[in-house]
Amino acid sequence: MALTLEEVRHIARLARLRLTPEEEQRYTEQLSAILDYAARLQQVDTSQIPPTATVLPLRAPLRPDEPRPCPPRERLLANAAQQQAGMFRVPPVLDQEP
Amino acid sequence: MTASTYEAVIGLEVHAELLTRSKMFCGCPVVDSTQAEPNTAVCEICTGMPGTLPVINQRAVEYALRVALALRCQVAETSVFARKNYFYPDLPKGYQISQYELPLAQQGWLSIDVGSGEQRVRVRRVHLEEDTGKLFHREGYSLVDYNRSGVPLLEIVSEPDMHSVEEVKAYATALRSLLRYLEVNSGDMEKGVIRFEANVSVRPSGSETLGTRTEIKNLNSFRALVRSIAFEIERQSRLLDAGKTVVQETLGWDEVRGVTLSQRSKEEAHDYRYFPEPDLPPLHVSAEWAERVRAELPELPDARRARFRERYRLTPYVASILTAERAIADFYEDALAAAPQVSPEKTANWISGELFALLNQAALDIDACRVTPRALGELVSMVESGEISAASGKAVLAEIFQAGGRPQDVVRARGLAQLNDPQEIERLVERVLQENPQQVQQYLDGKETVSQWLFGQVMRAARGRANPRVIREVLERALRSMEENPPTA
C-alpha cells in the first residue's frame, strides 16, 4: 500500500506541515510502511462483526444542562499570541485559507 | 427562457442552534452571541485547551431527538461522534466534533405545501455537532470571539427532493416553524440561529440522471437562500445551453451583487479526514428514552393545519397562516374557547386580518400582544351579535391593542354600543327625510341613487353607531310609503 509523494504533500498541507524534500521522501516510505502494517488487519474476516468505534463497553456519560460560571477572560486570553479588545487576534482570514 | 427546459434538483442542509442553557460539551452558558461581551461565555473546553475533555449535554440530545422524531426519522440506538478536521481560527481545536458515519437519526420526511397539495421532502439525516466561534475581519488581521464556540448545533440534511425555489422556501419555512413548535430554536434568523447550505444542479427536463451540482455555503436568510438558488439555476442552465459544463465546486453568495462566487480555496478543505472522536464513547439512546420524547411531542404544524381545516372549516391558506406559529395557533384556539358561539371562520378572519395588521404595524410578536385571546373572542362575539358595528369593533381592537383591557369596558366608556332599536332609527330616518325635501323629491322623480346619500345622512345622524342593516330596512320602508302616498307639496 504505497503512498505517492503527491499524497504525502497533500496530507502535509492539510495538517499545515511544511516538509523539506528529504522529509517528504522519508515520510512517504514510513507512512507506507505503517499502512502496510495496518493492512494486515484487513485480512481478518469482519463480515459478521458490526462496525466498532470502540472496544470498550462504554456509553457516553451525559451531563445535565446546567450552566456553570466561566473562568475569567484574562486567564483564557493569557496564552494567546496576540489579543485585542477581549478577543484572540489572529493572522488575517478572509474566506481564502492560507 | 432557459430555465423551463431544465429541471432543478435541490437539496438543503440546515444548521440550527439548540436552545439549551449550556453548551454541547461544556458547562458554559449559551448566550446571545450578537449581544454578549466577547469571550465571556467560554472556558478551557470550548477554546480547545490541551488536556480538556468533552461531556455531552443531555438536553441537547433530547432536543435533537424531538426534531428527529417530529421528522419521522429512525433514531439510532447507538450513534458515534466524529472529528471533522480542518484549520480555521473560528475552530480552536483544529477539528469540529460532529457525527459522520453513524448519525443520531436517519430517513425521515417533512411535508410541505406550495399550493398544489401536500408533498414530502425526505430527510436523509439529523445529527448533532458543535457551533464554531465568530470571526471579525480587520485590516491586516482578524479577531476571534468564542462565545458561540461549542453551542449545540443540529444539522438536518434533506434528500435532493426539491425542484424550485418555491419548494425550497416552503421546506425552509416549514422546518423553522417545526423547530419553533418543538421549542428547540428561537427561529430568530437575524441572530444566525438557523443557517442554510444548498446543493443545486440542473438537468434536461425529463432526464433521470443528476447533473453536476454546486454547493452554496453560508446562507443566513430566506432571502439569500431563495435568491442564490434562483441565480444558480439560471447560471447552470445558461452554461448547459451554451454547450458548456458545470464545474462541481463550493460557492459563496454575494448578497450585495446578487451573484454566487467560486470559493476555490474551500475545495481542499472538503478532505476532512473524519475519524471517530476518541474522547467520546458512543452515544446510547434507549428505546424508552426515544419513546418518552415521542410521547411528549406537541401537536405538530402539519397535523394542526389539517385539524384546523377540518374542524374549523378554514381555507388551506388561513389554516396555514394560523398554524405557522404555535403561539398564534394557541391564541386562536383560546379565543374560540372564550367565545364558542361565534363561527371559527369569523374569529380566524379577525386574527389574520385586523390583529395581524396591528401586530405588523407595531412590529410585535403575538407573545407581546396586549390583546388577550379572551378579549378577542369577546370582541368578535359582540360584532357578530350586532352589539357593536364592525367599524366600532376595529376601533375597540385598536384601543385594547394599545392599552389592554376588555372590549366591553371600551364599548361602554366610548359609547360605541350599536344602535339596533328600529323605533329610534325610525325617528332618525324621519328627521333626515324632513330636513332634505329636495333630495327626497329627486328620489321620487326616479333618481334612485339618492337613497344611498340619504342612508349616509341617517348614519351621520346616528354618529356612525346605528346598525346599517336596520337603517336600510327602515329607510326603504319609509321611501316606499312616500312613493305610494306622495307628500303634498
Side-chain angles (χ1 to χ4, degrees):
Chain A
M1 176 86 188
L3 278 175
T4 66
L5 196 59
E6 229 4 87
E7 283 170 322
V8 171
R9 285 181 182 145
H10 175 63
I11 295 162
R13 201 156 50 236
L14 290 174
R16 299 292 185 275
L17 293 174
R18 199 174 291 133
L19 301 183
T20 64
E22 293 74 36
E23 283 171 326
E24 284 174 355
Q25 199 58 51
R26 187 158 75 239
Y27 291 142
T28 302
E29 285 160 27
Q30 289 185 354
L31 289 170
S32 296
I34 291 168
L35 288 179
D36 282 340
Y37 182 72
R40 288 163 63 187
L41 289 173
Q42 308 280 16
Q43 293 164 14
V44 181
D45 178 11
T46 57
S47 57
Q48 301 305 309
I49 301 171
T52 308
T54 173
V55 292
L56 301 172
L58 277 182
R59 288 171 178 181
L62 305 176
R63 44 164 257 279
D65 181 31
E66 280 159 19
R68 286 191 319 206
C70 297
R73 177 164 73 179
E74 299 69 46
R75 221 178 85 201
L76 291 162
L77 286 167
N79 286 329
Q82 285 187 293
Q83 52 170 292
Q84 184 177 320
M87 289 188 266
F88 294 83
R89 180 173 161 157
V90 296
V93 270
L94 279 173
D95 274 335
Q96 79 276 14
E97 288 172 66
Chain B
M1 120 210 166
T2 56
S4 60
T5 51
Y6 295 102
E7 180 193 45
V9 178
I10 307 154
L12 225 53
E13 282 177 29
V14 179
H15 288 93
E17 284 182 8
L18 297 177
L19 270 177
T20 52
R21 297 174 65 211
S22 66
K23 290 187 179 179
M24 183 68 215
F25 298 117
C26 63
C28 290
V30 170
V31 295
D32 179 349
S33 62
T34 63
Q35 298 290 322
E37 186 67 17
N39 293 309
T40 49
V42 295
C43 70
E44 295 84 351
I45 296 174
C46 55
T47 50
M49 300 287 175
T52 56
L53 288 172
V55 187
I56 298 169
N57 181 337
Q58 173 165 9
R59 198 188 315 256
V61 179
E62 179 121 7
Y63 284 2
L65 287 174
R66 275 191 206 169
V67 178
L69 292 167
L71 291 169
R72 293 91 167 173
C73 286
Q74 292 164 23
V75 171
E77 192 164 307
T78 301
S79 65
V80 171
F81 284 91
R83 288 191 182 179
K84 178 180 181 178
N85 298 281
Y86 65 95
F87 288 106
Y88 211 61
D90 61 5
L91 191 70
K93 297 191 294 291
Y95 58 85
Q96 179 189 31
I97 304 181
S98 180
Q99 295 193 298
Y100 189 55
E101 281 178 324
L102 295 168
L104 182 76
Q106 303 188 69
Q107 292 177 347
W109 51 269
L110 181 64
S111 135
I112 61 166
D113 192 344
V114 286
S116 49
E118 306 247 336
Q119 64 189 92
R120 286 180 182 186
V121 174
R122 290 171 299 155
V123 170
R124 183 183 299 169
R125 55 187 279 145
V126 173
H127 76 240
L128 271 167
E129 57 187 34
E130 55 179 340
D131 211 344
T132 61
K134 270 189 170 173
L135 286 171
F136 299 91
H137 303 297
R138 300 281 183 266
E139 198 63 41
Y141 60 91
S142 296
L143 298 172
V144 201
D145 170 14
Y146 288 117
N147 279 344
R148 203 181 65 182
S149 170
V151 170
L153 200 61
L154 198 66
E155 180 168 324
I156 302 153
V157 184
S158 86
E159 295 289 348
D161 283 352
M162 289 162 275
H163 303 286
S164 66
V165 289
E166 289 75 26
E167 287 176 9
V168 170
K169 180 136 195 240
Y171 173 81
T173 310
L175 196 51
R176 176 180 177 275
S177 167
L178 183 71
L179 293 168
R180 281 176 51 83
Y181 262 71
L182 297 171
E183 295 175 332
V184 301
N185 182 287
S186 68
D188 203 342
M189 312 284 295
E190 271 133 55
K191 295 202 186 289
V193 299
I194 302 178
R195 310 190 287 272
F196 307 102
E197 288 175 21
N199 292 307
V200 182
S201 66
V202 299
R203 62 183 173 195
S205 297
S207 164
E208 287 296 312
T209 46
L210 289 169
T212 307
R213 62 175 196 169
T214 56
E215 188 180 347
I216 318 171
K217 291 261 191 196
N218 296 328
L219 299 167
N220 294 344
S221 66
F222 287 126
R223 182 181 145 87
L225 179 70
V226 166
R227 286 178 73 212
S228 66
I229 291 174
F231 177 88
E232 194 53 22
I233 292 171
E234 182 67 24
R235 186 186 73 86
Q236 293 186 12
S237 302
R238 281 177 192 278
L239 277 175
L240 296 188
D241 268 352
K244 296 178 184 162
T245 52
V246 175
V247 180
Q248 179 167 354
E249 62 183 337
T250 305
L251 302 170
W253 170 245
D254 185 327
E255 180 73 39
V256 179
R257 291 164 57 200
V259 294
T260 56
L261 296 170
S262 177
Q263 291 191 327
R264 239 172 280 276
S265 58
K266 294 227 164 141
E267 290 306 293
E268 193 170 62
H270 267 302
D271 195 343
Y272 291 127
R273 294 150 295 142
Y274 283 97
F275 62 88
E277 167 59 89
D279 289 343
L280 287 170
L283 172 65
H284 182 77
V285 175
S286 68
E288 294 75 38
W289 189 9
E291 204 36 61
R292 198 166 63 241
V293 173
R294 191 199 306 275
E296 285 167 6
L297 288 180
E299 185 182 24
L300 300 175
D302 51 355
R304 203 163 193 185
R305 191 166 60 230
R307 184 165 65 81
F308 276 23
R309 287 171 62 171
E310 270 173 42
R311 177 149 168 212
Y312 303 132
R313 309 244 162 256
L314 302 183
T315 63
Y317 174 72
V318 173
S320 70
I321 55 174
L322 287 185
T323 53
E325 299 282 339
R326 188 171 170 182
I328 291 168
D330 287 346
F331 186 100
Y332 173 59
E333 294 209 279
D334 290 347
L336 289 184
Q341 70 284 9
V342 177
S343 102
E345 276 171 274
K346 301 276 186 203
T347 306
N349 292 341
W350 274 87
I351 294 175
S352 64
E354 296 306 315
L355 187 61
F356 277 14
L358 291 167
L359 288 168
N360 282 341
Q361 259 168 35
L364 279 181
D365 275 341
I366 198 137
D367 302 320
C369 180
R370 304 195 66 171
V371 181
T372 63
R374 161 169 285 272
L376 186 102
E378 288 169 350
L379 176 77
V380 178
S381 164
M382 289 169 90
V383 173
E384 287 310 303
S385 68
E387 212 175 312
I388 56 173
S389 67
S392 300
K394 289 178 190 180
V396 172
L397 184 64
E399 184 157 341
I400 52 178
F401 184 83
Q402 291 299 331
R406 299 188 64 179
Q408 297 89 325
D409 298 335
V410 177
V411 167
R412 209 172 303 122
R414 300 252 172 266
L416 289 171
Q418 180 160 271
L419 184 56
N420 287 316
D421 180 1
Q423 289 189 332
E424 227 173 292
I425 291 176
E426 261 166 42
R427 275 195 291 279
L428 292 172
V429 168
E430 241 165 76
R431 204 177 80 206
V432 167
L433 294 182
Q434 274 169 13
E435 285 170 2
N436 300 283
Q438 233 183 316
Q439 283 78 4
V440 172
Q441 194 52 55
Q442 285 175 358
Y443 176 83
L444 294 177
D445 291 345
K447 200 172 172 197
E448 292 193 354
T449 47
V450 175
S451 75
Q452 193 53 39
W453 183 86
L454 291 166
F455 171 89
Q457 295 305 304
V458 178
M459 188 56 102
R460 217 170 98 187
R463 285 179 295 130
R465 294 185 298 110
N467 185 328
R469 192 174 44 80
V470 181
I471 298 183
R472 207 159 274 131
E473 278 171 19
V474 172
L475 184 64
E476 258 173 44
R477 210 180 315 129
L479 290 171
R480 212 176 306 123
S481 83
M482 284 176 118
E483 276 173 327
E484 283 154 17
N485 314 293
T488 43

